[in-house]
């Protein structure tokens, strides 16, 4: 019925091993008539009949046994409901991640996610519905992560994320995104379920140097979040509790700042290296609160994003920038103002309409506005982002990719999106021309950007040497303290006039 695949193996087997052994089973490969290879179990016995030695073999097809084995293997590492890695596999991966972090000296974070009051859904709607909610939760969490991150389910309503090679900002953003992914209700059989989670994190090496400590500290942080009122996150460090309070304060005070319009906008010149002229400016928001004092946009913009306050703030920025353009336009018609767009805001349904309406109402041509979008914005929901960016481009807006080099955007997306301008992140520019790594990175980003037809601007150039290096290597524009800090409109106008004069 079967022809044996490994003829040579069989011959050797029969001539040597079987000589003195009777009835042993060995796994070899067989070949079916149609050519498929399959595993067989081969047992050979020696029979002596009338002085003659005969060999008798039994061949057994063990395809099904093998498949069952594989299934068991998989079950041992996968959570059967969500198909996510289970605790076993997670522990294994965390172990490896810690080893790698030690060897290559990077930071690795564990994020514990515990659903709030999940028991109520289970008790009131039944376990079947509870299971479907869990599957949806798993899917939503997964879409907010990078491919290299591990999402595991380690208990009824407990999930854990393993993030390798991250800093605390990425961890914070990831937690914001995980929380946000649950903010829309889950629809099952035309019934809405509202889910939130308490999230806690601990990182190697600062919060723990072994698997057990990291697990326990991430768990503690998660409980801190739960105790502080659920639907929030907490870092393991005790002082993070203070930050939660501060965040609440910021949200409160931002609200009244929006009502009163108590922000200011400053403008940082962008200089063309080709002819040494100011060709534009980036608009940067400033906020000094009566109670909190000066709060950096790097701190309050993310808070505004997660609380939805970013929409009115952006509208204020655009209106104010348009007014500034009117003042500057008398002097320079090609002048552009760059406005930062928060990555979370792009997801808003009416994102394009809101921006465009504000610009039109201000009686400004979209051509004088450049929208800076960070790389981070491109990771998820790429189709939707492409559509919106193309619509903006069709209206005449210029689009720049901000903080390039810090995210994970693939080159093909960057190309598809047709950005006009690429902004090299300041972390690469800061140490030019002394840091070998940064030299290499900057050169290749410039080459790549040019190959894709983009103009290149470097951000954060502080020294004469770095500007010279950038110019030599084909960078088109520079924005940084070397030329100027961000300036009030009045100071900017003066700088502009003097700079382009000399
Ligand atoms: P960004 O868009 O990458 O802005 C550049 C930041 O680098 C600004 O910080 C700027 O002051 C700073 N910078 C520029 N040149 C140099 C330099 O030579 N050396 C150093 N050390 N720093 C330099 P800023 O104004 O604090 O803004 C931080 C971030 O906050 C911005 O990063 C942007 O992501 C966000 N942001 C600021 N204004 C707005 C806004 O109106 N809307 C939104 N959505 N985000 C904003
Ligand atoms: Mg920017
Ligand atoms: Mg930037």
């Amino acid at each position: 019925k079967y022809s044996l695949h490994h003829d040579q193996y069989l011959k050797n087997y029969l001539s040597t091993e079987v000589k003195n052994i009777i009835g042993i089973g060995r796994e070899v490969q067989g070949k079916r008539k149609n050519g498929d290879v399959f595993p067989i179990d081969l047992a050979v016995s020696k029979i002596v009949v009338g002085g003659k030695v005969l060999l008798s073999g039994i061949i057994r097809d063990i395809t099904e046994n093998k498949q069952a084995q594989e299934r068991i293997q998989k079950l041992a590492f996968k959570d059967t409901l969500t198909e996510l890695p289970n605790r076993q596999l997670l522990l294994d991966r965390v172990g490896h991640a810690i080893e790698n972090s030690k060897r290559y000296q990077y930071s690795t974070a564990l994020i514990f996610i515990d659903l709030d009051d999940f028991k109520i859904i289970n008790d009131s709607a039944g376990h079947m519905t509870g299971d479907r909610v869990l599957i949806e939760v798993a899917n939503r969490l997964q879409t907010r992560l990078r491919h290299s991150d591990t999402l595991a389910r380690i208990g009824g309503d407990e999930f854990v994320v393993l993030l390798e090679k991250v800093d605390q900002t990425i961890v914070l953003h990831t937690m914001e995104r995980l929380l946000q992914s649950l903010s829309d209700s889950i629809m099952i059989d035309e019934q809405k379920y509202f889910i939130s989670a308490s999230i806690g994190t601990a990182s190697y090496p600062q919060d723990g140097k072994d698997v057990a400590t990291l697990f326990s500290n991430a768990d503690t942080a998660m409980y801190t979040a739960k105790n502080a009122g659920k639907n929030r996150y907490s870092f393991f460090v005790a002082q993070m509790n203070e930050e939660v309070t501060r965040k609440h304060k910021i949200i409160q005070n931002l609200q009244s700042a929006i009502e009163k319009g108590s922000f200011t906008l400053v403008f940082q010149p962008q200089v063309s290296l080709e002819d040494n002229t100011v060709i534009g400016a980036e608009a940067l928001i400033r906020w000094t609160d009566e109670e909190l004092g000066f709060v950096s946009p790097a701190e309050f913009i993310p808070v505004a994003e997660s609380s939805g306050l970013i929409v009115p703030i952006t509208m204020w920025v655009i209106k104010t920038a348009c007014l500034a353009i009117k003042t500057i336009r008398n002097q320079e018609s090609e002048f552009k103002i760059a406005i930062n767009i928060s990555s979370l805001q792009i997801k808003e349904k009416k994102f394009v309409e809101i921006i465009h309406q504000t610009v039109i109402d201000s009686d400004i041509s979209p051509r004088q506005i450049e929208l800076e979008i960070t790389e981070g914005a491109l990771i998820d929901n790429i189709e939707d982002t492409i559509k919106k960016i193309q619509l903006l481009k069709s209206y005449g807006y210029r689009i720049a990719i901000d903080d390039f080099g810090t995210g994970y955007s693939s080159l093909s997306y960057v190309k598809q999106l047709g950005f006009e301008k690429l902004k090299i992140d300041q972390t690469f520019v800061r140490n030019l021309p002394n840091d070998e790594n940064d030299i290499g990175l900057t050169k290749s980003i410039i080459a790549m950007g040019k190959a894709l037809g983009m103009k290149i601007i470097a951000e954060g150039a502080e020294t004469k040497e770095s500007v010279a290096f950038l110019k030599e290597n084909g960078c088109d524009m520079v924005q940084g303290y070397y030329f100027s800090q961000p300036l009030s409109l009045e100071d900017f106008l003066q700088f502009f006039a003097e700079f382009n004069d000399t």
Side-chain angles (χ1 to χ4, degrees):
K1 196 165 172 198
Y2 305 118
S3 79
L4 286 171
H5 185 50
H6 281 179
D7 274 354
Q8 195 51 47
Y9 177 82
L10 189 66
K11 269 184 206 148
N12 291 345
Y13 184 95
L14 292 179
S15 60
T16 58
E17 301 198 25
V18 146
K19 254 176 219 156
N20 303 309
I21 308 163
I22 302 296
I24 194 173
R26 286 296 292 263
E27 190 186 318
V28 295
Q29 280 186 316
K31 206 186 218 174
R32 291 188 209 281
K33 283 204 176 119
N34 67 7
D36 287 349
V37 173
F38 67 104
I40 61 174
D41 178 75
L42 174 69
V44 181
S45 0
K46 186 167 84 173
I47 314 165
V48 184
V49 185
K52 276 189 184 169
V53 179
L54 300 176
L55 292 174
S56 134
I58 299 169
I59 289 169
R60 199 158 56 89
D61 182 345
I62 53 167
T63 309
E64 274 177 27
N65 299 33
K66 288 288 256 191
Q67 284 170 346
Q69 239 174 41
E70 271 160 28
R71 232 175 294 133
I72 288 166
Q73 190 85 5
K74 215 163 136 192
L75 282 182
F77 290 116
K78 285 256 155 98
D79 163 43
T80 42
L81 180 67
T82 58
E83 301 231 279
L84 292 175
N86 62 12
R87 180 189 286 271
Q88 200 60 34
L89 182 53
L90 176 73
L91 283 170
D92 187 57
R93 291 206 183 153
V94 174
H96 283 297
I98 289 180
E99 270 171 37
N100 283 337
S101 309
K102 220 175 268 174
R103 184 168 325 139
Y104 302 112
Q105 309 212 332
Y106 56 71
S107 174
T108 280
L110 269 191
I111 298 178
F112 264 54
I113 305 159
D114 189 280
L115 302 186
D116 298 326
D117 306 311
F118 182 69
K119 199 176 168 307
I120 296 178
I121 293 187
N122 247 347
D123 289 350
S124 62
H127 285 267
M128 297 277 268
T129 305
D131 282 355
R132 287 168 70 186
V133 171
L134 287 173
I135 292 171
E136 174 64 14
V137 167
N139 288 340
R140 289 193 187 181
L141 297 175
Q142 188 84 74
T143 57
R144 305 301 158 119
L145 298 169
R146 306 174 297 182
H147 286 302
S148 55
D149 304 332
T150 298
L151 172 66
R153 178 167 171 246
I154 60 160
D157 59 352
E158 284 178 306
F159 297 84
V160 175
V161 178
L162 167 66
L163 300 175
E164 281 188 70
K165 273 198 218 170
V166 284
D167 58 33
Q168 295 299 292
T169 323
I170 298 181
V171 177
L172 187 134
H173 283 305
T174 308
M175 293 196 293
E176 300 258 9
R177 287 167 36 173
L178 291 172
L179 261 192
Q180 216 245 340
S181 76
L182 303 178
S183 61
D184 285 344
S185 61
I186 294 176
M187 192 73 134
I188 286 168
D189 295 333
E190 287 170 53
Q191 179 76 42
K192 274 186 187 164
Y193 296 94
F194 293 92
I195 277 285
S196 68
S198 300
I199 299 181
T201 187
S203 289
Y204 172 91
Q206 70 267 32
D207 306 328
K209 294 204 163 50
D210 57 78
V211 179
T213 315
L214 271 187
F215 263 72
S216 134
N217 288 351
D219 198 37
T220 307
M222 186 274 291
Y223 272 104
T224 313
K226 199 142 309 248
N227 290 335
K230 302 173 184 167
N231 193 23
R232 68 194 61 213
Y233 56 78
S234 168
F235 284 79
F236 171 64
V237 254
Q239 93 207 32
M240 282 317 276
N241 290 329
E242 283 165 34
E243 286 204 17
V244 172
T245 323
R246 179 168 168 91
K247 197 174 146 175
H248 277 296
K249 193 96 235 154
I250 289 178
I251 293 178
Q252 257 172 26
N253 295 13
L254 265 184
Q255 238 139 7
S256 59
I258 290 167
E259 278 158 30
K260 292 187 222 145
S262 49
F263 302 105
T264 48
L265 206 55
V266 289
F267 303 86
Q268 188 175 30
Q270 299 184 335
V271 176
S272 157
L273 294 178
E274 198 182 323
D275 55 6
N276 215 42
T277 52
V278 175
I279 41 99
E282 176 174 12
L284 295 158
I285 193 168
R286 295 290 176 261
W287 177 40
T288 304
D289 181 62
E290 282 168 10
E291 188 187 353
L292 300 168
F294 175 79
V295 188
S296 156
E299 182 181 7
F300 76 79
I301 292 290
V303 178
E305 280 187 326
S306 61
S307 57
L309 295 174
I310 191 69
V311 178
I313 291 178
T314 304
M315 281 168 69
W316 179 87
V317 170
I318 294 177
K319 265 186 219 152
T320 314
C322 286
L323 276 177
I325 290 171
K326 280 189 180 163
T327 319
I328 300 162
R329 190 159 60 175
N330 298 333
Q331 306 162 46
E332 182 62 74
S333 64
E334 273 303 288
F335 190 85
K336 279 186 279 303
I337 283 199
I339 292 171
N340 291 285
I341 298 297
S342 289
S343 48
L344 276 175
Q345 204 179 347
I346 299 176
K347 296 207 190 77
E348 301 270 339
K349 232 190 182 144
K350 294 223 153 92
F351 164 68
V352 176
E353 286 87 339
I354 289 176
I355 289 189
H356 194 48
Q357 197 56 50
T358 316
V359 172
I360 295 298
D361 289 348
S362 305
D363 197 21
I364 284 292
S365 156
R367 303 212 160 272
Q368 295 204 279
I369 292 181
E370 184 171 83
L371 301 171
E372 286 193 5
I373 294 171
T374 53
E375 244 192 313
L378 308 175
I379 311 173
D380 38 42
N381 223 351
I382 183 77
E383 259 109 63
D384 184 53
T385 310
I386 290 179
K387 253 188 237 149
K388 287 173 176 165
I389 288 181
Q390 270 161 1
L391 186 56
L392 284 168
K393 282 184 66 174
S394 74
Y395 291 150
Y397 294 93
R398 324 282 170 130
I399 315 282
I401 181 163
D402 200 359
D403 300 348
F404 190 82
T406 56
Y408 309 95
S409 52
S410 98
L411 279 185
S412 75
Y413 288 155
V414 172
K415 194 176 163 197
Q416 247 176 304
L417 286 161
F419 293 100
E420 272 98 1
K421 207 163 162 186
L422 181 158
K423 219 173 189 189
I424 307 175
D425 190 65
Q426 41 181 301
T427 49
F428 306 118
V429 178
R430 200 179 292 148
N431 300 316
L432 290 178
N434 300 319
D435 185 294
E436 283 301 320
N437 277 338
D438 292 346
I439 290 177
L441 270 163
T442 312
K443 280 187 179 174
S444 48
I445 292 176
I446 294 174
M448 181 218 81
K450 295 227 143 168
L452 293 176
M454 286 182 275
K455 289 271 178 204
I456 315 293
I457 181 163
E459 176 166 66
E462 297 186 357
T463 61
K464 199 172 165 181
E465 292 74 26
S466 60
V467 174
F469 172 89
L470 289 161
K471 187 171 178 178
E472 242 164 65
N473 287 283
C475 183
D476 302 294
M477 290 160 262
V478 160
Q479 177 188 336
Y481 292 174
Y482 172 68
F483 287 113
S484 172
Q485 301 238 349
L487 304 168
S488 69
L489 180 59
E490 210 181 14
D491 290 347
F492 177 79
L493 286 171
Q494 197 181 340
F495 177 91
F496 190 41
E498 283 170 12
F499 196 92
N500 282 3
D501 229 31
T502 47

